[in-house]
Amino acid sequence: MLYYPNPQRKNIVGFNTGHHGGCAIISKDGVVAMQEERLNRKKYSDGYLYSFFYCLETLGLKASDIDLFVSSSYHQNLSPDFQGKFKELGIDNDKFITVDHHLSHAYSAYFLSPFDEAIVVVIDGLGNNGDTESYYIAKGSKITKVGGNDKNRPAYKGIGRAYETFTNYCGWSAQEAGKTMGLSAYGKEVCPDVELYKINDKNEIESFIEGKYHMGAMNFVKNNSINFGEPFSEFENMDAAYFVQDRSEKVIIQLVKNLYEKHGIKNICLAGGVFLNGIINKKILEETQIENVFVPPCCDDTGQPFGNALYGHHAHFGMEKEFNLKNAYLGRKYSDDEIFDVLEKKQVIYSLPYKTKSTDIEFVKIENIAQKTAELLSEGKVVAWFQGESEIGPRALGHRSILSSPVSTQLRDFINKDIKHREGWRPFAPAILEEKVNQYFDIEIPSPYMLMVAKAKKEAYDKIPAVIHVDGTARVQTVNKTDNGNFYDLLLEFENKTGIPVLLNTSLNDAGEPVVENPRDALNMFCRSKLDYLIIDNYLVWRK
């Protein structure tokens, strides 16, 4: 929860329909947000009622305390007073409004940024009314749309859908585009004269793909006589991954250059699922005139509820810009009673599955949990690290994480194969003390949300090979004391023991599952995995 009181605020709920369902509430006391999948344990789940009651409970509110409900949809336009499942709660329909999908993204990007003026670019698979790219100028408390894609052009010709169609070609779902980004590092240029996109003088972008999903990529490959190998074959398709990554980078860089040339603003805010691509985000800084980039941790559709609530706060109620997001920890904290209910298997609050109940565990409270955990990590142990409020967005940022030493590539491979059960070529992110980041990586700015991919320096190659990808890059997370609390303390303790201010950080979940939310989820994950230890707040847990 973001503890940021303001008695002038209204109580505003933001919720979204479709995949990545969830809820956020801006209140007089602060902000809380939650993804539906974290509560119902169904990855990419739709829905919003579980997360609505979660947010109400966290803030100590009742449904009748809410002044406004703001909804969005990623495809079909909703009715102006859409109530959805809230209709069952008997809430007055005059409390409901809707907001355009891309405008919601723009609000979540700009109104969480530190800027008072910015270019805002939204790129995703599909918004409302055929939107795939949208551009805005934000000043003060106002956002104005200044461009986007041609509405008469098929949505599958947008950047997000083009990236998705090549992701399908590699054998994955549209929601797994991060795999394509990772695989692209293994590929090479095999068709230098073939373009994927064109951009006109109105900054309207269009791909040369004909057809939806994997068929669009297959048609493109056939029409251009390209040999990317047989489709749906990971390592045969690494050149296809390279191709779509490279061409998407180039057209977005050209777009940003054009927008800067036209508007002359050196700050940019980015949102939409395409900007989970940290390679593109970093190249915007390196290859354009832009000086400052902000990408919220929930830049994909996990940020729609927050963007909706911000729209209600600023556009509907006319509040001035006031938020400057410093960390992603917008969930709630769990009490000792809830933790003990799980660790002692009382099942008064949480029921447990048989596997968890039948696993003999022991636990102890540790006075300096950061110091003890650093000791275990320095000995080569792999730990589940569960602390405080959970993160908004798809990245684990030190509150719901699996951690290990970044030194051993064998340990990295063990985590991939035996704990996360995912492809062995998938990279892991380094979490690093903010003040030490430029000793290890070619980056001069904070990267708190793992949304900047930076080149590794020689010291990183030598000392932390487990978090360096095959192309010599890493998706960096910078950590400071003010915003990250005891996760910073843990990194500092690990540095004291090893001389290395870095940990391997990945999300606390198994492949195909949402990140864990509560102590029950954390213990369930621990009891059916090969993790060595589980740390829940100040409690160290191990198998008997």
Side-chain angles (χ1 to χ4, degrees):
M1 176 174 168
L2 174 63
Y3 298 95
Y4 191 52
N6 179 350
Q8 302 304 313
R9 284 194 209 113
K10 301 292 186 180
N11 295 323
I12 306 167
V13 167
F15 67 102
N16 68 313
T17 66
H19 65 85
H20 290 104
C23 186
I25 298 181
I26 293 176
S27 75
K28 295 175 174 64
D29 294 322
V31 179
V32 62
M34 179 47 52
Q35 296 155 229
E36 196 78 356
E37 67 170 23
R38 304 280 182 99
L39 304 178
N40 67 16
R41 309 307 302 155
K42 298 174 183 177
K43 197 166 179 68
Y44 310 129
S45 171
D46 61 359
Y48 39 81
L49 287 183
Y50 284 119
S51 42
F52 171 64
F53 288 111
Y54 171 103
C55 293
L56 282 182
E57 182 182 357
T58 301
L59 291 164
L61 297 174
K62 303 185 296 295
S64 58
D65 295 325
I66 302 302
D67 298 297
L68 184 70
F69 293 79
V70 188
S71 63
S72 64
S73 166
Y74 81 97
H75 179 36
Q76 295 179 339
N77 288 315
L78 303 174
S79 61
D81 59 350
F82 176 80
Q83 289 180 274
K85 297 178 181 179
F86 288 114
K87 192 170 186 177
E88 302 167 13
L89 303 181
I91 299 169
D92 293 340
N93 67 351
D94 60 1
K95 288 186 174 183
F96 290 83
I97 64 172
T98 61
V99 58
D100 174 80
H101 183 87
H102 272 215
L103 188 57
S104 174
H105 274 312
Y107 267 76
S108 69
Y110 173 65
F111 282 103
L112 296 179
S113 79
F115 311 138
D116 294 320
E117 180 182 48
I119 297 167
V120 184
V121 176
V122 177
I123 304 178
D124 63 7
L126 181 62
N128 303 131
N129 305 310
D131 282 341
T132 56
E133 297 88 28
S134 296
Y135 326 130
Y136 306 80
I137 296 300
K139 292 186 179 182
S141 293
K142 186 176 181 182
I143 291 181
T144 304
K145 189 172 183 179
V146 295
N149 57 279
D150 179 353
K151 298 300 178 67
N152 295 316
R153 183 216 67 189
Y156 66 75
K157 286 182 172 288
I159 296 173
R161 283 293 175 94
Y163 208 98
E164 288 175 1
T165 195
F166 274 94
T167 297
N168 296 155
Y169 183 89
C170 292
W172 305 308
S173 75
Q175 301 298 330
E176 297 178 292
K179 293 184 180 182
T180 308
M181 183 182 77
L183 185 62
S184 70
Y186 292 86
K188 63 183 182 302
E189 181 64 79
V190 296
C191 49
D193 298 326
V194 178
E195 296 298 333
L196 180 58
Y197 305 101
K198 61 182 178 180
I199 180 170
N200 66 19
D201 56 4
K202 295 180 182 179
N203 290 317
E204 295 170 336
I205 294 167
E206 182 174 346
S207 80
F208 296 108
I209 286 174
E210 297 293 343
K212 298 180 180 180
Y213 310 113
H214 68 277
M215 288 305 301
M218 293 176 77
N219 290 337
F220 181 86
V221 169
K222 181 181 178 181
N223 292 340
N224 288 278
S225 302
I226 305 170
N227 181 14
F228 284 147
E230 289 296 317
F232 319 128
S233 304
E234 279 184 20
F235 266 89
E236 280 199 30
N237 302 147
M238 64 182 75
D239 295 335
Y242 173 92
F243 176 78
V244 70
Q245 175 67 32
D246 178 76
R247 301 315 192 262
S248 299
E249 290 172 18
K250 287 176 178 174
V251 75
I252 292 173
I253 292 300
Q254 186 60 57
L255 169 66
V256 172
K257 286 180 177 179
N258 294 352
L259 291 172
Y260 174 81
E261 188 174 319
K262 183 174 182 178
H263 300 285
I265 299 172
K266 295 189 176 182
N267 304 321
I268 196 165
C269 300
L270 307 172
V274 167
F275 292 112
L276 288 175
N277 195 309
I279 300 172
I280 292 173
N281 301 340
K282 181 66 158 51
K283 288 192 174 183
I284 288 172
L285 268 180
E286 294 173 339
E287 300 181 15
T288 75
Q289 303 94 324
I290 294 296
E291 294 181 359
N292 304 295
V293 175
F294 178 77
V295 192
C298 51
C299 67
D300 62 346
D301 281 4
T302 61
Q304 282 284 298
F306 205 171
N308 297 349
L310 287 164
Y311 176 84
H313 183 63
H314 295 288
H316 187 81
F317 288 117
M319 296 292 287
E320 295 297 313
K321 188 177 190 293
E322 61 172 324
F323 298 108
N324 178 2
L325 193 68
K326 294 290 189 180
N327 65 60
Y329 311 128
L330 297 186
R332 77 169 180 90
K333 187 173 176 59
Y334 290 87
S335 67
D336 273 1
D337 286 344
E338 290 172 299
I339 294 170
F340 280 132
D341 181 75
V342 168
L343 297 184
E344 295 180 346
K345 302 180 181 178
K346 295 178 178 179
Q347 300 191 91
V348 175
I349 303 171
Y350 298 107
S351 60
L352 299 171
Y354 175 77
K355 175 66 177 176
T356 303
K357 289 187 290 185
S358 62
T359 301
D360 288 332
I361 62 167
E362 293 186 358
F363 64 93
V364 64
K365 188 172 185 177
I366 303 291
E367 184 174 343
N368 189 334
I369 195 66
Q371 186 179 70
K372 178 61 178 177
T373 305
E375 178 185 324
L376 296 170
L377 291 166
S378 68
E379 295 169 355
K381 305 300 184 185
V382 182
V383 306
W385 176 257
F386 180 107
Q387 299 292 312
E389 303 95 335
S390 59
E391 305 91 333
I392 189 174
R395 309 287 190 227
L397 300 167
H399 278 204
R400 300 290 187 274
S401 292
I402 293 172
L403 304 173
S404 78
S405 166
V407 175
S408 169
T409 55
Q410 288 84 2
L411 195 58
R412 174 202 64 199
D413 294 342
F414 169 75
I415 296 171
N416 254 340
K417 180 177 182 291
D418 294 305
I419 294 178
K420 297 285 285 189
H421 302 107
R422 63 182 204 170
E423 298 89 346
W425 51 265
R426 299 272 297 277
F428 289 114
I432 183 170
L433 295 176
E434 187 177 289
E435 61 270 24
K436 301 294 179 69
V437 66
N438 58 12
Q439 294 179 18
Y440 287 79
F441 299 100
D442 183 19
I443 186 169
E444 301 296 329
I445 61 168
S447 175
Y449 307 132
M450 286 187 194
L451 291 171
M452 290 281 178
V453 172
K455 283 284 186 183
K457 295 184 175 179
K458 184 179 185 303
E459 188 165 356
Y461 279 100
D462 294 341
K463 291 187 175 181
I464 55 171
V467 292
I468 309 300
H469 199 28
V470 66
D471 61 349
T473 66
R475 193 179 68 212
V476 177
Q477 178 196 0
T478 55
V479 179
N480 66 54
K481 176 62 177 176
T482 302
D483 301 326
N484 303 105
N486 65 348
F487 191 45
Y488 177 90
D489 295 339
L490 174 59
L491 281 159
L492 198 62
E493 291 285 356
F494 187 76
E495 183 187 34
N496 291 339
K497 291 183 181 300
T498 65
I500 298 172
V502 183
L503 287 171
L504 182 154
N505 179 16
T506 187
S507 54
L508 182 49
N509 65 311
D510 204 344
E513 295 182 346
V515 178
V516 308
E517 167 55 29
N518 57 44
R520 175 195 60 205
D521 303 336
L523 187 64
N524 288 344
M525 170 75 185
F526 175 70
C527 288
R528 56 184 171 78
S529 75
K530 294 184 180 180
L531 287 158
D532 294 309
Y533 291 92
L534 166 64
I535 290 91
I536 300 186
D537 284 357
N538 292 317
Y539 297 93
L540 176 67
V541 185
W542 65 96
R543 294 177 190 82
K544 205 167 184 177

